[in-house]
Amino acid sequence: MESSVATIGADRVGEGRERILAELRKVIVGQDEVVEQVLIALFTGGHCLITGVPGLAKTLLIKTLAQAVDLKFNRVQFTPDLMPSDIIGTEVIEEDRSSGKRVIRFIPGPIFANIVLADEINRTPPKTQAALLEAMQEYQVTVNGVRYALERPFFVLATQNPIEQEGTYPLPEAQLDRFLMKILVTYPSRDELNKIVERTIAREEATPEAVLDRAAILDVRRVCREVLVAPHVQEFAIRLVMATQPEQEEAHEMAKRYIRYGSSPRGAQALVECGRVRALMRGRFHLAVEDILHVAAAVLRHRIILNFDAHADGQTPETILAAVFKDVTSQATVA
């Protein structure tokens, strides 16, 4: 039986989710799945890559989320002429008024915030994209051999346009792997589009209020790490990841045929971490297979690299992962 402490922890996460959702819905219409996945990433403590064509409110979603939590927020608009120093900061030489000597002072860049919006991240060359690598993995930046720590929580929310569009640069595989989830934003339905237009012609705009602060978010993350993970559920997550690795015996037939590189171990870690948060959001203090499956596509779609045959045969990460999930689930059910 779950302890009262566990139940209180789950209730706290569920309450935090509902409060943030209420504020987001003041501005955002629909996209419930996208919003929930972003909240999972927020409570997990991982970075998030949001992909979709222009005009689907990707940036608006992140700005609204930043308003709903009492955290320092900075936005960086990625452009082809953006330099690494424009993100992490730069050193300047100044004259000390008391001694008259010249001193070097570091001016922090916009990355020194709790939530960083990397808007249209694939509009800038790989050299500038790489400026985020150290910060996303080690929560610090290094400038001329000096390390500067970033305050926790540190959360990069990046938006990108489909790589088929002009003026985009594909993200390096090493950087993609540092994103906990890749979330796809689709077109709204007819009813949702109607509500969007109604809000557009309304005289007043809704303003979200901050409902969670830094301490509350860190507390939620602590509770999430206490969610129980049964051995068979952990094994299921491992099977999903290994099924995407073409060189493994457990690899799925489609992986052997269409995947050049499968998911890294970060994929298995992310499945468990994101699944734990979803379990708490559903009021449970134990991880279930359904939690893993619910987050699996967002966690793994950017961690598999397809080969030429996949592109020639019209295969996508979505079609391949769907087949992998189906077969691994059926095998687990039989077992």
Side-chain angles (χ1 to χ4, degrees), residues 37-50 62 65-66 69 71-74 111 113-118 135-136 139 150-158 179-181 183 217 221:
Q37 290 176 347
V38 171
L39 291 183
I40 288 175
L42 173 66
F43 290 149
T44 303
H47 313 293
C48 206
L49 179 63
I50 304 176
I62 299 173
L65 175 64
V69 293
L71 297 174
K72 183 179 180 182
F73 170 73
N74 280 333
I111 202 170
N114 300 118
I115 298 179
V116 177
L117 166 56
M136 293 174 66
Y139 301 97
L150 299 172
E151 183 186 28
R152 302 288 186 94
F154 174 69
F155 187 50
V156 175
L157 279 169
F179 284 104
L180 182 74
M181 307 175 81
I183 301 172
I217 292 175
R221 291 183 178 180

Side-chain angles (χ1 to χ4, degrees), residues 141-280:
V141 296
T142 304
V143 180
N144 289 336
V146 180
R147 297 178 180 177
Y148 300 91
L150 299 172
E151 183 186 28
R152 302 288 186 94
F154 174 69
F155 187 50
V156 175
L157 279 169
T159 68
Q160 75 168 4
N161 298 310
I163 60 174
E164 294 82 6
Q165 292 197 344
E166 293 185 7
T168 59
Y169 300 83
L171 296 181
E173 287 82 358
Q175 184 167 9
L176 280 173
D177 200 36
R178 282 168 169 78
F179 284 104
L180 182 74
M181 307 175 81
K182 179 181 179 182
I183 301 172
L184 302 183
V185 182
T186 58
Y187 287 106
S189 66
R190 173 182 289 273
D191 290 340
E192 291 170 346
L193 185 57
N194 189 49
K195 291 180 181 179
I196 292 173
V197 174
E198 288 178 353
R199 291 190 179 183
T200 302
I201 60 180
R203 294 184 178 181
E204 297 182 1
E205 294 184 1
T207 302
E209 299 179 359
V211 294
L212 285 183
D213 58 13
R214 177 176 179 272
I217 292 175
L218 292 176
D219 188 46
V220 167
R221 291 183 178 180
R222 179 190 60 78
V223 174
C224 292
R225 288 193 291 269
E226 298 176 4
V227 173
L228 302 178
V229 181
H232 75 280
V233 180
Q234 178 175 320
E235 177 63 23
F236 181 78
I238 293 173
R239 284 185 182 180
L240 283 183
V241 170
M242 296 192 71
T244 68
Q245 300 170 350
E247 68 277 5
Q248 300 288 348
E249 293 183 4
E250 299 92 334
H252 191 274
E253 288 303 317
M254 292 192 71
K256 294 178 180 178
R257 182 175 179 182
Y258 294 123
I259 295 181
R260 184 171 46 154
Y261 299 112
S263 171
S264 70
R266 283 198 187 105
Q269 293 175 304
L271 286 174
V272 174
E273 291 175 351
C274 294
R276 279 173 151 183
V277 176
R278 184 182 185 272
L280 279 177

